[in-house]
Every structure is written in C-alpha cells, then in structure tokens.
Amino acid sequence: MIVQVENPVLEVHDLTVSYDKNPVLWNVDFSIPKGKLVGIIGPNGAGKSTMLKSVMGLVDKQSGYVKVFNKDLDEVREQISYVPQRESVDWDFPASVLDVVLMGRYGRRGLFKRITKEDKAIAMASLEKVNMQDYAKRQIAQLSGGQQQRVFIARSLAQQANLYLMDEPFAGVDASAESSILNLLQEMRAEEKTIMVVHHDLQSAYEYFDWVILLNMRLVASGPKEEVFTPELLQETYGGKLTLLDSLSNFIRQKEFPIKG
Amino acid sequence: MRELLEFLSLSNANVRYVVLGVMLLGASTAVVGTFTFLRKKSLVGDAVAHSVLPGICLAFIFSQVRHPLVLLSGAFISGWLSILSIDFITKQSRIKADAAIAIVLTVFFGVGIMLLSYIQSTGNAAQSGIDHFLFGQAAALVGNDVIMLAIVCAVLVVVVWLLFKEFSILSFDADYAQSLGLPVRSIEFVLSTLTVIAIAVGIQAVGVVLMAAMLITPAAAARYWTNRLSVMLLLAAMFGALSGFFGSYISYSAPKMPTGPWVIIAVTFIAFISMTFAPERGFFFKWLSKKRKVNTTMDENILKIFFHLGEKEGDALTSRKIAQLQARRYFEESKMQASLKRLCRDGKVEEDEHGWKLTKVGVIESKRIAKLHRLWEMYMSKFLKIPADHVHEGAESLEHFFTPELEEMLEQELDFPETDPHDKPIPYTKTSVS
C-alpha cells in the first residue's frame, strides 16, 4: 500500500542503505505531499533514523536517489532542516541555550562570517515558539530532557525551512512537553510546513499524524493514516522480524562482502 | 634569588626569546587543544604527538640540517600519517578506535626511537639538538626558532578565530553541521591540521612524549571555571602560557633538566587547583554545598519538631528545652545546639530563660516544612499508590529538596488537599499566617 503523490515535497526513489556493510534499508520508494505531519513508524532496528540520515546525506546511499522539492538536496539545503536524536550529542558541552539555537543560523551565514543581530532576533523568536525564551542564557547541561528536545526544535526553527525531519522528538520527554511539542508541530503544519517525524509509539501515532510511513527494513506502507492503519499492514510491520533477511545481512557483515557493489 | 630576578626582568635577550616563545606556544596549543578535548579526541592527540618523532628524525637524516622549518615539515607529515592510519584501521577493520590508537602510537614512536638511535650512532655533530625532541629543551630555542614559532602560533590563533563558529558546531554536533550544508569534512581537515601543527611546533619545548598534556590539560582545567566556550579558550590559553613561563624558567635555571616534565607539572598543578577549588564543579565546592545541605536538613528537622509540639499543644510559640525537643525526636545534643544557633542567627528561633522558641519567621518556615512533608506523603499515596503507613520515610528525605517552583507544582497537582494520608491537617502558610 504505497500512495505516490503529485508534486511531492520529498521523493525517495528506490533507496538502499547499509551501515557497516550491513544493509538496513532495502529499495525504499515513497513520496510525501506538502503540508502534512508525517509519522515514520516501525519497530526497533527498522531503519527509521537511517532513512532520515540518508535523506540528509549523512549516510551514503548504496542505490537510489532523494529529491526535495523536485531538486537535489544541495540546491535546496536552506529549505530543509534536520533535528537529530537528543542523545546524539554531549549536553555537557560549554554552550548556552541561545548558543545552540544560533547554530541553526550557521548554514545561512556561511563560512568565516559572524553571527548578526538579525540572527539573534530569529533565534530568540524560535525560542519563544517553544516557550524557552526565559532559558536563553542557561547552560545546556542544566536542562531537562524535554527542555533539551525543545532547544533542538528551536534550533531547527531558526533555519526557517519548509521541510523538517525530526528524529524521535517525543522520546524521553514528559507528557506536558510531549503535548506542547505536538501543538507546535500542528502550528507549523498550519503554516504549510511539512514535518516528518520518527516515532516509536504506535498508540499515539494515529492521533498525531496525517500521513504514515510504515517501515521495517523495507517500506511496508506509505499513505494517509486512514488507509495505512490496517491490522494487516501493522502486522506486516511489527509481526516478527524478517528472519531470512536478518541472517543474510549478518552473514554479509561477517564475511565483509560489499552488497550491491 | 638573583637568578630568578634576572630571569623575571627578561634582561637577557636569549631568555626573552625563550620565555616569549614557550608562552606563545603554550597558549596556542591550548587553544587548538580545547577543540581536541571537546571532541573527545585526547588520545588521538597523544598518538599524533608520539608519531611526529620519526618524521623529525627522517627530515634530519635526509637534510642533515637542524633547520626548524625542515624538521617541522617532517613532523607534520608523520603526524598526519598517524591520523590517517588510525582512521583507516578504525574504518576498514574490526579493530576499535582505542586499540587502533594504541597500535599507531607505539609503531610510530618505536620507529622514531630506532631512527633516533641511528642518528646518535652516526655521531653527527648537529644531532645534539635532536634528542631534545624527546622531552623538550626550551633553552635550546634560538632567535630563529622563536620567530618561526611566533608566526606559526599566530597563524593557529587567527585560524581558530576565523573558524570559531565552525569548530564549535563541529565539536558539538557534527551531523547537524553537515545537515546545514557546511563543508564538515574540510573543517575537520583544517582542525586536524591545526592540531598536528600545534604539536609539531610544541615538541621543541615540551617533547613528543609529554606533548599531549599541553594540548589537553589546559582545556580540561579551563572547563572547570566556565560554561562558555569563548571564555574557556581564553582561560586555556592563559593556563598554557603560564605553564610555559614556568617551564622555561626551569629550563633556564637548570640547563641539564628537560623542560617538558616541568611544564607538565605546572599545568597539572593548575588543573589540580581547578578541580579542587572551581566554583560549582570543584571538589571543594561540592563538599561545601553537601555540608550545607546536611546542615539545612538538620535545621529543617528541628523546625519540624517545634511545629509538631506546637500542633499537639495548640501553641506554636512556646519555649522548649533541648530535652523536650529530643523527647519528640532524638538528635545528639551537640548537633541540636549547633543547629539552634544557626537558626537563631537566621532569625528563625530565639533563646529565653525557658529554652528556645520559634520566632514569627520560624513559625512560617516550620509550617512550610510540615506542609511539604504532608503534601509529599499525599503525592506518594495518591500517584505512586504507596500505602499510607509507608510514605513517611520517602517524604522525610525528599521534603528537604524542594524549590519554590516544585512546591507550587506539588500544591497544584494535588489541588491543595486539606489533610495528609494520616488525616493530619496540612498547614498552608499563606492562609494560616496572614
């Protein structure tokens, strides 16, 4: 069940990715319409984060291509923003909340250039959107998990992009932070932004998203949630691992054969 | 003494050169090393430091001159080779990074020592300088060396200044930097190159064996004093310069002594002071705040005794003897005395002929503690479903950790209940006092 769309914001075509010679995504092929909240759902090790990373060009593709707004990534960098997993960085880094949010402006500012007053104003406005303006001067190590997540989202907002890829923004945050993040994402959607979110909780997924991608090493389904949330497709996504594929990749890893060239 | 004064006055031109050179060097390696430290690449720094030795020896063997630029180029090449080897082994084999670092460090250093023995065995007159590269000999720096050193150091600092925001985002979140379209590979390459250069110029004064400390220790010390990267860089530079100053003095006053170990002792001393006395992060500060916490906990417990006795007898302001307080809840007399004195100083209790009594402020404070205890008990029985007869201990330890914000949250979460799980009334201060 894969619904392809006209004039997609994001088109992933026949994408295969492997990590340490171990294939984690096989021939993934889907497209995403504009202005939707998109959930990427699947069990642990399904390749959800890897897919976001390969869209952003952070991991090498073995085959396939990605088009954003019908262009190559490098032509439209400024329109796409990535929020990595919160645990992927060391929060004891000597930086204030504002310092981190300002990083969202580095791409536009370019090499050697200093941060301007305008950048600071944008960063502060982004902090206000996640309701963290009072924490601007706070050292990042002092933040709670939910606050750290909101700082990451503010940093991404400071990029003023049109397509957002967020890796597990709801992981390890408390209920009130979760609902405030969800509100923010809905506001962004109202402004015609497209947001793709890696999500681990099947329970809340139906409520949160408009469009759902079911992933388990391969693409199981992609489409409006009403069409995708069927017992058969969920069973296909979560019901047991693809054991043969798994042992095959194990074997490949041990022998260190390259797969697909 | 006269020696020290002569040194400090920098009247001797050569001393001036050496001191300035080593201080500059300490400062600039510390600046570059701050990023090595923040990227958790300290061990790679150590490996590179050891790995420049074969490069220096080969450069000397082929050129037969001790020109600093020639030796520096040799050091630079073999330093970079070691980084590439570590990367190659980690990416292309199953050997993990720590083992790869150990292997590369020892191989390069071993080859370096072999070449060094060869140079010594040939008895080349100019070789006398070469073995100083093991442990450093600042006093062996001459005018020429220092001028080159100064130029290189200035270049390092200027590049860091220009690429400050790129280096910081690379150190904090490299994936994100790449997602912004920044040329992460190139930035990384520039930073690694700066590190190798810093090491290559530093070894003259500190030596390959101990160079990593000049790179890492000033940054580690500086981290204790600040949460801002720019301040951290400045502090690290200062610490590096200070240790350089000390090391060059030793090298000057005891020419037989290698400089490296003394520079390291100086910088380690600074790190030790930082770890111990820095506010917030230092051991001493932590010990002090822990002690303070123990004291306030004790004080709050005493206030609670006053509250309980007052609640039972219906009069919060009665004077009480220490024995009476102990009868309600026992603490050692000396501890109680000390606590009462602290409370007296804070204006929460006062002493009269009948013993100790709460002041108005003390009454409010005592109610607050009792309220927190009972609210927390309520919370545990309501939300954590802990039976009423088991909630006391938990509340006893946690009631002392409440901030005003948490207190407010707790009140609102429970919606201001009237009684605790033991049906005792909860004494809200705002309504009951005013």
Side-chain angles (χ1 to χ4, degrees), chain B residues 65-97:
Chain B
V65 287
R66 220 185 130 268
H67 190 277
L69 211 55
V70 173
L71 299 185
L72 187 74
S73 319
F76 179 76
I77 293 168
S78 68
W80 245 116
L81 266 180
S82 72
I83 293 187
L84 294 177
S85 315
I86 292 169
D87 275 356
F88 181 81
I89 296 174
T90 324
K91 289 214 179 93
Q92 301 297 326
S93 75
R94 287 177 182 208
I95 296 170
K96 299 278 182 284

Side-chain angles (χ1 to χ4, degrees), chain A residues 56-58 77 82 84 89-90 92-95 103-104 106 110-114 139 155 159 254 256, chain B residues 38 40 94 161-163 165-166 168-169 171-173 175-176 178-181 183 223 227 229 232 281:
Chain A
M56 292 308 306
L58 301 177
R77 279 273 181 203
Y82 169 64
V89 303
D90 176 9
D92 196 32
F93 193 81
M103 288 178 184
Y106 286 11
L111 290 177
F112 307 116
K113 305 259 173 49
R114 299 277 137 180
Q139 150 73 6
R155 179 175 75 170
Q159 282 179 255
Q254 276 165 20
E256 302 197 353
Chain B
L38 288 173
K40 305 185 170 51
R94 287 177 182 208
W161 184 75
L162 281 174
L163 286 171
K165 81 183 197 307
E166 283 73 19
S168 54
I169 194 173
S171 311
F172 177 62
D173 194 348
D175 267 2
Y176 181 71
Q178 200 181 340
S179 85
L180 290 176
R223 184 66 188 91
N227 285 323
L229 182 54
M232 185 178 165
R281 287 171 176 253

Side-chain angles (χ1 to χ4, degrees), chain B residues 30 33-34 37-38 42 213-228 231-240 242-243 264-279 281-282:
Chain B
T34 301
F37 172 78
L38 288 173
S42 305
M214 276 314 281
L215 210 57
I216 303 307
T217 318
R223 184 66 188 91
Y224 275 87
W225 299 95
T226 177
N227 285 323
R228 289 181 52 198
V231 180
M232 185 178 165
L233 284 167
L234 280 178
L235 278 176
M238 237 175 62
F239 294 160
L242 211 67
S243 342
I264 301 318
I265 284 175
V267 74
T268 311
F269 180 72
I270 293 171
F272 174 76
I273 297 286
S274 305
M275 278 181 225
T276 314
F277 295 109
R281 287 171 176 253

Side-chain angles (χ1 to χ4, degrees), chain B residues 403-420:
Chain B
T403 63
E405 296 91 59
L406 284 171
E407 190 176 334
E408 203 178 316
M409 267 169 73
L410 182 66
E411 284 174 347
Q412 276 165 8
E413 194 106 328
L414 292 165
D415 200 17
F416 298 91
E418 303 217 327
T419 55
D420 74 357

Side-chain angles (χ1 to χ4, degrees), chain A residues 37-260:
Chain A
L37 243 175
V38 181
I40 304 174
I41 321 282
N44 282 337
K48 306 186 290 287
S49 301
T50 308
M51 199 178 70
L52 287 197
K53 284 187 180 167
S54 71
V55 170
M56 292 308 306
L58 301 177
V59 294
D60 294 334
K61 303 170 188 59
Q62 216 127 57
S63 68
Y65 64 80
V66 171
K67 293 257 183 207
V68 184
F69 303 107
N70 208 21
K71 295 204 168 108
D72 282 337
L73 179 64
D74 279 327
E75 294 175 61
V76 285
R77 279 273 181 203
E78 295 199 346
Q79 296 202 51
I80 174 167
S81 169
Y82 169 64
V83 180
Q85 280 185 28
R86 183 164 57 84
E87 288 87 0
S88 66
V89 303
D90 176 9
W91 288 90
D92 196 32
F93 193 81
S96 69
V97 166
L98 186 61
D99 291 339
V100 172
V101 178
L102 277 171
M103 288 178 184
R105 305 297 304 162
Y106 286 11
R108 300 222 176 189
R109 221 20 87 200
L111 290 177
F112 307 116
K113 305 259 173 49
R114 299 277 137 180
I115 285 299
T116 63
K117 276 204 176 117
E118 189 202 350
D119 293 323
K120 284 201 177 144
I122 292 169
M124 278 312 293
S126 310
L127 274 174
E128 264 168 50
K129 282 190 192 142
V130 297
N131 203 14
M132 288 282 291
Q133 66 277 19
D134 299 340
Y135 292 82
K137 295 258 180 279
R138 197 71 80 85
Q139 150 73 6
I140 54 171
Q142 296 164 356
L143 303 177
S144 71
Q147 290 169 336
Q148 290 174 350
Q149 192 63 64
R150 282 189 281 162
V151 169
F152 259 17
I153 293 176
R155 179 175 75 170
S156 167
L157 291 176
Q159 282 179 255
Q160 301 181 317
N162 287 313
L163 169 62
Y164 291 83
L165 308 180
M166 304 189 177
D167 203 344
E168 299 265 11
F170 298 113
V173 307
D174 60 42
S176 72
E178 178 153 348
S179 74
S180 74
I181 292 172
L182 182 66
N183 278 337
L184 179 74
L185 298 187
Q186 284 163 345
E187 278 167 32
M188 290 162 70
R189 177 181 55 188
E191 293 166 18
E192 290 285 283
K193 313 275 186 196
T194 310
I195 308 126
M196 255 173 104
V197 173
V198 168
H199 195 58
H200 60 283
D201 181 30
L202 200 54
Q203 300 280 318
S204 50
Y206 190 78
E207 182 195 333
Y208 286 5
F209 305 112
D210 315 315
W211 191 277
V212 169
I213 293 171
L214 292 178
L215 200 69
N216 189 357
M217 295 182 78
R218 66 182 186 97
L219 185 68
V220 178
S222 162
K225 65 175 169 186
E226 297 83 6
E227 293 175 43
V228 167
F229 259 76
T230 65
E232 294 77 30
L233 289 173
L234 290 176
Q235 170 66 22
E236 235 186 283
T237 315
Y238 283 89
K241 279 189 99 95
L242 302 165
T243 328
L244 177 68
L245 212 54
D246 217 34
S247 347
L248 178 67
S249 24
N250 247 334
F251 173 75
I252 292 167
R253 192 179 60 231
Q254 276 165 20
K255 296 289 177 197
E256 302 197 353
F257 290 143
I259 181 161
K260 288 201 173 184

Side-chain angles (χ1 to χ4, degrees), chain B residues 17-281:
Chain B
Y17 274 136
V18 170
V19 172
L20 272 178
V22 181
M23 282 177 70
L24 253 173
L25 197 147
S28 57
T29 45
V31 166
V32 176
T34 301
F35 291 104
T36 313
F37 172 78
L38 288 173
R39 295 176 71 211
K40 305 185 170 51
K41 302 246 178 198
S42 305
L43 285 174
V44 177
D46 193 27
V48 173
H50 281 77
S51 304
V52 297
L53 188 61
I56 292 173
C57 293
L58 281 175
F60 179 76
I61 290 170
F62 287 123
S63 69
Q64 291 298 322
V65 287
R66 220 185 130 268
H67 190 277
L69 211 55
V70 173
L71 299 185
L72 187 74
S73 319
F76 179 76
I77 293 168
S78 68
W80 245 116
L81 266 180
S82 72
I83 293 187
L84 294 177
S85 315
I86 292 169
D87 275 356
F88 181 81
I89 296 174
T90 324
K91 289 214 179 93
Q92 301 297 326
S93 75
R94 287 177 182 208
I95 296 170
K96 299 278 182 284
D98 62 329
I101 291 168
I103 291 166
V104 169
L105 184 152
T106 44
V107 167
F108 275 74
F109 189 59
V111 171
I113 294 288
M114 258 162 56
L115 292 168
L116 192 63
S117 332
Y118 168 74
I119 294 172
Q120 280 165 336
S121 71
T122 57
N124 190 321
Q127 63 94 8
S128 60
I130 292 293
D131 45 6
H132 286 155
F133 283 104
L134 266 190
F135 295 106
Q137 185 54 279
L141 290 169
V142 291
N144 243 352
D145 299 336
V146 174
I147 290 166
M148 195 203 69
L149 231 158
I151 294 169
V152 173
C153 293
V155 170
L156 291 181
V157 173
V158 167
V159 176
V160 169
W161 184 75
L162 281 174
L163 286 171
F164 176 75
K165 81 183 197 307
E166 283 73 19
F167 287 167
S168 54
I169 194 173
L170 176 73
S171 311
F172 177 62
D173 194 348
D175 267 2
Y176 181 71
Q178 200 181 340
S179 85
L180 290 176
L182 292 173
V184 169
R185 296 269 147 83
S186 312
I187 299 170
E188 212 169 356
F189 175 79
V190 173
L191 186 52
S192 299
T193 305
L194 293 189
T195 315
V196 177
I197 294 177
I199 288 169
V201 294
I203 48 174
Q204 176 107 324
V206 187
V208 293
V209 181
L210 301 170
M211 188 58 212
M214 276 314 281
L215 210 57
I216 303 307
T217 318
R223 184 66 188 91
Y224 275 87
W225 299 95
T226 177
N227 285 323
R228 289 181 52 198
L229 182 54
S230 49
V231 180
M232 185 178 165
L233 284 167
L234 280 178
L235 278 176
M238 237 175 62
F239 294 160
L242 211 67
S243 342
F245 180 82
F246 181 75
S248 50
Y249 168 66
I250 293 290
S251 181
Y252 172 75
S253 58
K256 287 255 160 61
M257 202 81 89
T259 327
W262 289 100
V263 176
I264 301 318
I265 284 175
V267 74
T268 311
F269 180 72
I270 293 171
F272 174 76
I273 297 286
S274 305
M275 278 181 225
T276 314
F277 295 109
E280 284 179 51
R281 287 171 176 253

